[in-house]
Amino acid sequence: MNAVVTTAGRTNEANIEVAISVAKELSLQYVSRKKKSVQLLHAEHKSDVIVVSNERLELYVLGSNTPFFFHPNSAAFRMKRLLKGEKDLFLQATGLQEGDCFLDTTAGLCSDSIVASFATGETGIVHACEANTLVAYIVSTGLKRYKTPISELQNSMHRVHLMNVDAVKYLKSCESDTYDVVYMDPMFEEEIEESSNFQTLRAVGLHDVLTEEWVEQAKRVARKRVVLKAHFRSEMFGRYGFEQLTRLTSKFHYGILNI
């Protein structure tokens, strides 16, 4: 990891202590902000910059002025719809029920994992894999500390267990039939209109390509179903034998492999 940890421009002793603690936890260097811009810190240290503020942790990738930070993102409005009794296409594709065990092999911001946690409830298990250490740390911290008045969303976030691990390596370490559903959402092969935070995630995320080994290990570990999310024009559905659930108005589709 090539990164330094600092504070927001206007800071306090509490945030300085947090920044020093984050730096130690990640084995990174803490640098005093001294009113320097993130761009100047990039230039001086030739590294990514993690900024500790009152509200959140932000990651500024070297060469970018746009921060990556945790936010429940689409999970928040999806949760509101679910609480109104509306359907969620991800839950329809996964078929998750209360008490199920779910593995998200491409965690990112954990939006789908949060929704999965809501569906599986207090008796369920939701695990998520994120190979990028800095992304995993920021998202894991956000899942624990983000505050929302929606108690169902808050509880769902707290139940997600995010692991800083390569998905295929983790799958290979699992016993067969460990999870009811294994899910994969590789970075889209084609650009689609996204939020700025997702675009930043695309910049910092590890762009793993779906492989035969990944799919075969997912099939071995899943008890019920493997689910793929990809661009509607993706060849991955046919290549790996997924039943593509077509949606005429969407640029992404889900594919399912029943075990």
Side-chain angles (χ1 to χ4, degrees):
M1 278 189 301
N2 188 19
V4 298
V5 183
T6 189
T7 60
R10 294 183 179 181
T11 191
N12 51 51
E13 288 301 320
N15 283 342
I16 291 174
E17 290 181 7
V18 171
I20 292 172
S21 176
V22 169
K24 287 182 178 179
E25 192 170 351
L26 292 171
S27 299
L28 298 175
Q29 179 186 0
Y30 164 75
V31 296
S32 178
R33 186 66 180 262
K34 295 181 179 178
K35 299 182 179 180
K36 295 179 181 178
S37 67
V38 169
Q39 293 70 36
L40 182 55
L41 291 174
H42 277 159
E44 288 182 350
H45 297 278
K46 302 295 188 296
S47 69
D48 300 337
V49 176
I50 297 176
V51 175
V52 175
S53 68
N54 288 326
E55 296 81 21
R56 63 197 188 195
L57 300 179
E58 297 180 340
L59 171 62
Y60 289 83
V61 178
L62 181 64
S64 173
N65 298 328
T66 304
F68 169 77
F69 56 90
F70 174 78
H71 188 279
N73 205 33
S74 65
F77 64 78
R78 289 166 67 188
M79 187 77 70
K80 292 178 182 177
R81 291 176 179 173
L82 285 167
L83 291 171
K84 292 178 181 178
E86 298 180 26
K87 304 292 185 182
D88 185 89
L89 292 170
F90 161 77
L91 292 182
Q92 289 180 316
T94 56
L96 287 169
Q97 303 292 326
E98 186 169 352
D100 277 349
C101 297
F102 173 80
L103 175 65
D104 184 349
T105 61
T106 47
L109 283 165
C110 280
S111 295
D112 288 320
S113 289
I114 294 168
V115 174
S117 178
F118 174 72
T120 57
E122 294 183 1
T123 59
I125 294 174
V126 174
H127 292 165
C129 304
E130 173 53 57
N132 184 298
T133 299
L134 297 184
V135 171
Y137 185 85
I138 288 174
V139 175
S140 180
T141 301
L143 288 167
K144 298 171 186 174
R145 299 181 183 177
Y146 188 90
K147 300 299 181 184
T148 172
I150 307 172
S151 60
E152 293 86 354
L153 176 58
Q154 190 87 71
N155 294 335
S156 296
M157 289 191 294
H158 288 174
R159 288 194 298 266
V160 175
H161 176 58
L162 178 58
M163 304 174 290
N164 177 205
V165 63
D166 174 79
V168 176
K169 288 182 180 179
Y170 178 71
L171 284 167
K172 292 171 72 173
S173 75
C174 292
E175 295 183 2
S176 298
D177 301 328
T178 299
Y179 295 92
D180 292 293
V181 178
V182 176
Y183 177 65
M184 49 194 68
D185 177 13
M187 291 289 183
F188 291 126
E189 303 132 296
E190 301 187 39
E191 292 287 339
I192 61 173
E193 187 176 347
E194 302 155 342
S195 68
S196 59
N197 204 26
F198 192 91
Q199 290 172 343
T200 307
L201 175 60
R202 183 189 290 275
V204 302
L206 300 179
H207 295 251
D208 290 331
V209 177
L210 195 63
T211 63
E212 188 74 35
E213 182 181 34
W214 191 348
V215 175
E216 288 303 312
Q217 287 296 325
K219 289 163 63 177
R220 181 185 64 82
V221 171
R223 287 192 288 263
K224 298 179 180 178
R225 181 174 291 186
V226 178
V227 178
L228 168 68
K229 178 182 178 182
H231 193 277
F232 76 96
R233 284 195 291 256
S234 176
E235 296 181 354
M236 290 188 290
F237 295 112
R239 183 183 307 155
Y240 299 112
F242 285 86
E243 177 189 351
Q244 186 172 351
L245 306 180
T246 303
R247 296 169 57 216
L248 297 178
T249 59
S250 177
K251 292 185 178 179
F252 66 84
H253 288 170
Y254 292 101
I256 60 174
L257 276 173
N258 288 315
I259 306 302

